[in-house]
Amino acid sequence: MKIYRIHIHQHLRLFGKAIVWKYWSEVLLCVLLFLFSSTAYSSASTIDSLKAIIQTETNDSIKVRLYYTLGADLLNKSHNESLQYYQQCYELAKKTKDTMYMVHSLVGMCDFYNVIGEYKKAILYVTEAMDLLGDEDYNELSYCYGRLATVYADMGLNEKSKQYDRMSIACNRKINNREGLAYDYSNIATYFLDEVNPQPDSAIYYYSKATTYLDDTTDDLTSFIWGGLGDAYFFKAEYDKALRYQQKAYQNFLKSNSIYDLVYEENALASTFMKMQQNDSVLFYLSEAESHSKLLNNLSCLVDVYNLYYKYYNEQGDYKKALEYVRLEQAYSDSVSQKNNENKLNLVHYTIDIEEQQNILNSETAIHHKLVLHRTLLLIFFTISLSLLAAYLVLIYKRKQEIKQHTDLITQVDNGNYAIKRILSIIGHDLRDSVGNLKQFTRLMQYELLDNRSIKQMVQKFIPMVDSTHSLLETLLAWTRYNDDNFVPQYEQLNASELIQLTISHMEHVANAKKINLISDSEDVSFMADKNMMLTVLRNLVSNAIKYSDPGLDVVISANQKGDCLAFSVKDEGIGMNEEQVNLIFKEQNTTHTKGTLGESGSGLGLSLCHSFIMKHGGVLKVKSHPDKGSKFTFSIPIKNS
């Protein structure tokens, strides 16, 4: 059984009084038109009568209300028709500048998309409705907050749902809206009916609290509460009590012809009868639920029905039929999942704190009165004082600007000198051996002192040296281009798996020369980052891993999502480092660098550059290493960076 949640009907109760008082004359006219038309349409349903009235009605204000009434009445009977009438209501309300019914129709469309499982659209419509309301429209705001709570609960985001339920309760208490409070507490009760960790006693407590705010026992909310109590007693395994409440709710929904709610109660009754091993009743209610779900064309409802069919036939040992319904459930589940791919939302949250706003307003009013009382006496004094102060501030500002310019220039010169010294030191230290070896080799070639075999052997030895020299030059180029405190990363949408594969393709020739295996272990996660910076970081880390690994070992590059961050790591099985070496590698003054396993040289500049780039993305480079057990470099950056 799913979490029991109130989806609809709330608007008919919460807005009813406001509509009647604000538009009493037009509502009265609607009633008269309806009574008049009932003679001609006595054999038709209420919905058919309303449709007929709309065809002949010329008053736009009345048509808006008729469209809305039809949308609300059809929501649980014919989803698609309901959406059409809500859309017509919105367009006509917008044309006539009827803000109240623009809000009503937008929330009605939210109900439609919530019922069919398209939660992103549901949230967008109710948010648009809230933008039309004022800060003190507590009745309408409580209704919208309740809708957001419902949608987030159906998405499984209970913390967000609780937040909006609390905001709805605060609004309803301000205006003593008992019906709204009843809805809020019944919604809170549903949090305790989670299948994984149900707390039925807490659910029963909040449902009982909700009933204390109701004046009658025949409306839709009472039916929802009965259904919720049925669910609670089902989780307590008190099936007789569960059945009693479920049947009461079911009978009420039959009377109101609320098909969507009927489907839920039919599933609930089938589940209870399954526990009580009353097979005929199980099949009857499942058949009814399937028929009503198809009538609504609601895929989510069909998934629930087929799941119960599977459980029933599986318990009966009829595995052939069980397999048939598993396949049906899977087919419809895939369709529903395809609609919900955009459920990860980054939405604006609204908060209201009226008391604080009132205090600020009162304080500003008092200050204003005091200023008015003293304005005449102090006007000349303030004018002269402000003029002198302005002149003084201009002089101070110019002086500070001159000092700042000189300081910035000195800092830039110092930074430039330091960078030049470091680059020259690296070139002198690391390129000297490479260029010297190449010089000796070319001289031997010039005087033909080497045979073909010797040449081939020396070329093989020079490959890692040339790759290392090339990597150093690339790192120096990146350092001079990006290692500036004022440089800002150029963010773009990247894919973690693709980025790692690109890094492997860049470093594959180096790894192959040393017979190192480069392995990708990445999730398919999209994130925001500077592509060139990320490639530079990964290439440097992979290059180091290859350099300090013996031939034939593995280097693993991974990326995994952890909450709102993406964690990268490069792990090798090489020579590793002791604690002292680990503490030294990120220090600017460090000039001692260990040779690779085949004598490869390194500048130490690469890790410093990596650390700088990662910090610009809001992360920190870390390392874990043990001698002869390898090293693991890790860093995490926010997925939605900006």
Side-chain angles (χ1 to χ4, degrees):
M1 293 172 63
K2 297 192 304 183
I3 295 176
Y4 195 86
R5 193 71 189 170
I6 296 173
H7 290 287
I8 52 175
H9 296 308
Q10 185 177 355
H11 50 286
L12 295 177
R13 293 170 56 88
L14 294 182
F15 283 134
K17 295 180 181 178
I19 296 169
V20 169
W21 284 109
K22 188 171 183 179
Y23 305 103
W24 64 271
S25 60
E26 294 170 355
V27 172
L28 179 61
L29 182 57
C30 285
V31 172
L32 291 174
L33 285 170
F34 177 77
L35 292 174
F36 176 79
S37 64
S38 62
T39 304
Y41 301 97
S42 57
S43 61
S45 66
T46 302
I47 291 176
D48 291 335
S49 299
L50 291 174
K51 289 179 180 178
I53 293 173
I54 287 178
Q55 297 301 318
T56 58
E57 181 56 55
T58 58
N59 186 311
D60 286 344
S61 296
I62 295 176
K63 288 183 74 172
V64 165
R65 288 138 187 81
L66 292 173
Y67 282 139
Y68 176 77
T69 303
L70 280 168
D73 285 343
L74 288 167
L75 183 58
N76 280 348
K77 303 176 180 68
S78 176
H79 291 340
N80 293 331
E81 274 191 282
S82 172
L83 178 62
Q84 292 174 7
Y85 283 112
Y86 278 137
Q87 289 172 334
Q88 288 175 300
C89 176
Y90 176 77
E91 293 301 327
L92 192 53
K94 187 176 180 180
K95 177 182 175 183
T96 58
K97 299 181 179 180
D98 189 337
T99 304
M100 180 70 74
Y101 271 91
M102 287 173 66
V103 172
H104 296 176
S105 56
L106 285 169
V107 180
M109 285 185 271
C110 161
D111 289 336
F112 166 80
Y113 285 109
N114 188 45
V115 166
I116 65 173
E118 293 194 24
Y119 303 121
K120 181 177 181 180
K121 286 187 177 180
I123 291 174
L124 290 176
Y125 277 111
V126 75
T127 304
E128 185 178 350
M130 291 174 65
D131 290 339
L132 299 174
L133 298 174
D135 292 339
E136 295 184 1
D137 292 332
Y138 297 121
N139 191 64
E140 292 81 2
L141 283 171
S142 68
Y143 168 48
C144 292
Y145 290 145
R147 272 301 173 277
L148 285 171
T150 298
V151 176
Y152 280 119
D154 289 343
M155 292 172 65
L157 302 175
N158 284 346
E159 289 305 316
K160 279 187 176 292
S161 182
K162 290 176 184 177
Q163 174 189 347
Y164 284 108
D165 269 332
R166 287 192 292 268
M167 294 168 70
S168 179
I169 288 174
C171 289
N172 283 321
R173 282 178 176 168
K174 286 182 181 293
I175 57 175
N176 194 27
N177 186 348
R178 295 177 61 81
E179 293 173 340
L181 288 169
Y183 270 98
D184 293 333
Y185 284 116
S186 61
N187 281 351
I188 290 173
T190 63
Y191 297 127
F192 301 99
L193 295 179
D194 180 59
E195 286 184 333
V196 178
N197 183 29
Q199 301 177 50
D201 290 330
S202 297
I204 292 170
Y205 168 79
Y206 280 103
Y207 280 128
S208 301
K209 188 169 184 177
T211 59
T212 62
Y213 290 92
L214 297 178
D215 299 324
D216 59 81
T217 58
T218 59
D219 61 0
D220 291 323
L221 177 56
T222 304
S223 303
F224 289 132
I225 293 174
W226 283 342
L229 287 168
D231 292 346
Y233 284 112
F234 178 90
F235 281 116
K236 292 186 70 173
E238 295 180 18
Y239 301 120
D240 289 333
K241 285 186 178 180
L243 187 62
R244 185 161 63 250
Y245 282 109
Q246 289 165 351
Q247 287 177 329
K248 289 172 69 175
Y250 178 72
Q251 291 301 321
N252 268 18
F253 289 134
L254 270 178
K255 292 177 184 177
S256 63
N257 195 29
S258 182
I259 299 176
Y260 180 79
D261 301 308
L262 275 175
V263 172
Y264 183 88
E265 290 306 327
E266 285 161 352
N267 284 340
L269 284 163
S271 298
T272 303
F273 281 121
M274 200 181 302
K275 293 292 185 180
M276 300 172 75
Q277 298 183 352
Q278 297 185 25
N279 297 339
D280 291 340
S281 297
V282 173
L283 292 175
F284 170 78
Y285 284 108
L286 285 179
S287 175
E288 290 292 298
E290 182 179 11
S291 176
H292 287 141
S293 298
K294 289 180 178 178
L295 180 63
L296 287 172
N297 193 27
N298 191 309
L299 303 183
S300 297
C301 291
L302 281 171
V303 170
D304 295 336
V305 174
Y306 291 142
N307 177 261
L308 287 174
Y309 265 124
Y310 155 72
K311 290 180 179 178
Y312 170 76
Y313 284 115
N314 190 55
E315 289 180 3
Q316 298 299 314
D318 190 345
Y319 302 116
K320 185 176 180 181
K321 276 191 171 294
L323 178 61
E324 175 185 344
Y325 283 106
V326 164
R327 289 172 175 168
L328 284 171
E329 179 191 0
Q330 185 62 46
Y332 284 99
S333 294
D334 291 342
S335 298
V336 173
S337 298
Q338 189 174 357
K339 286 185 177 182
N340 294 329
N341 285 334
E342 298 180 355
N343 277 341
K344 293 184 178 178
L345 307 171
N346 181 15
L347 302 170
V348 178
H349 302 294
Y350 294 90
T351 58
I352 298 177
D353 191 347
I354 301 303
E355 292 183 1
E356 183 178 347
Q357 292 180 4
Q358 190 62 45
N359 291 336
I360 294 173
L361 181 61
N362 293 338
S363 176
E364 290 177 347
T365 302
I367 293 172
H368 174 71
H369 285 295
K370 290 181 180 180
L371 289 174
V372 170
L373 292 174
H374 295 285
R375 181 177 55 185
T376 304
L377 296 175
L378 300 177
L379 182 59
I380 298 175
F381 173 78
F382 275 120
T383 302
I384 297 173
S385 299
L386 288 174
S387 299
L388 294 173
L389 180 61
Y392 178 71
L393 290 175
V394 169
L395 292 174
I396 292 177
Y397 176 78
K398 289 183 177 180
R399 179 61 178 166
K400 285 186 175 180
Q401 287 294 103
E402 292 175 359
I403 294 173
K404 185 177 183 300
Q405 289 175 359
H406 291 141
T407 304
D408 291 343
L409 183 60
I410 292 170
T411 302
Q412 290 175 9
V413 171
D414 289 341
N415 290 339
N417 289 338
Y418 172 79
I420 292 171
K421 287 179 181 179
R422 186 152 191 208
I423 291 171
L424 290 174
S425 174
I426 292 166
I427 293 173
H429 182 271
D430 293 308
L431 297 185
R432 179 181 57 196
D433 292 340
S434 300
V435 175
N437 288 332
L438 288 173
K439 178 181 179 182
Q440 293 298 328
F441 177 72
T442 53
R443 285 187 176 178
L444 291 173
M445 290 286 294
Q446 179 184 3
Y447 297 110
E448 298 181 354
L449 298 176
L450 297 174
D451 55 22
N452 290 337
R453 182 179 179 183
S454 299
I455 292 172
K456 184 176 181 180
Q457 289 176 348
M458 292 190 72
V459 168
Q460 290 296 325
K461 290 181 180 179
F462 283 160
I463 288 175
M465 180 188 67
V466 172
D467 286 334
S468 176
T469 303
H470 181 263
S471 175
L472 172 61
L473 292 174
E474 283 191 333
T475 303
L476 287 171
L477 180 61
W479 176 274
T480 57
R481 183 183 300 169
Y482 297 122
N483 196 37
D484 182 355
D485 292 339
N486 296 320
F487 183 82
V488 178
Q490 303 301 307
Y491 290 101
E492 62 181 293
Q493 190 81 14
L494 302 176
N495 181 279
S497 181
E498 293 175 359
L499 189 68
I500 289 177
Q501 288 299 327
L502 184 58
T503 302
I504 290 176
S505 67
H506 287 177
M507 301 304 301
E508 202 166 25
H509 67 288
V510 180
N512 289 340
K514 208 169 178 180
K515 297 181 180 180
I516 299 294
N517 300 315
L518 298 182
I519 300 172
S520 172
D521 180 23
S522 173
E523 295 178 357
D524 194 17
V525 181
S526 294
F527 67 105
M528 299 295 294
D530 186 306
K531 183 176 180 180
N532 291 328
M533 284 189 172
M534 286 295 101
L535 281 174
T536 300
V537 170
L538 291 175
R539 282 202 304 264
N540 272 280
L541 295 179
V542 172
S543 176
N544 284 347
I546 295 171
K547 184 186 302 180
Y548 297 114
S549 295
D550 291 316
L553 297 180
D554 296 336
V555 172
V556 180
I557 310 104
S558 63
N560 300 287
Q561 184 173 352
K562 294 183 178 179
D564 294 331
C565 293
L566 184 61
F568 286 91
S569 70
V570 176
K571 182 181 179 182
D572 63 65
E573 302 170 340
I575 60 176
M577 295 178 284
N578 57 35
E579 186 176 351
E580 182 180 358
Q581 290 173 313
V582 170
N583 293 332
L584 283 173
I585 59 175
F586 294 119
K587 289 188 176 180
E588 291 286 336
Q589 295 81 5
N590 180 28
T591 57
T592 303
H593 308 295
T594 308
K595 295 288 186 178
T597 55
L598 295 182
E600 303 98 322
S601 62
S603 66
L605 186 61
L607 285 178
S608 179
L609 182 63
C610 291
H611 187 59
S612 174
F613 284 4
I614 293 166
M615 288 183 66
K616 288 179 184 293
H617 283 78
V620 177
L621 181 61
K622 298 179 181 178
V623 60
K624 289 184 179 179
S625 184
H626 298 282
D628 300 321
K629 293 184 179 180
S631 302
K632 183 177 181 181
F633 286 82
T634 62
F635 64 91
S636 295
I637 61 173
I639 291 177
K640 295 183 179 180
N641 233 319
S642 63

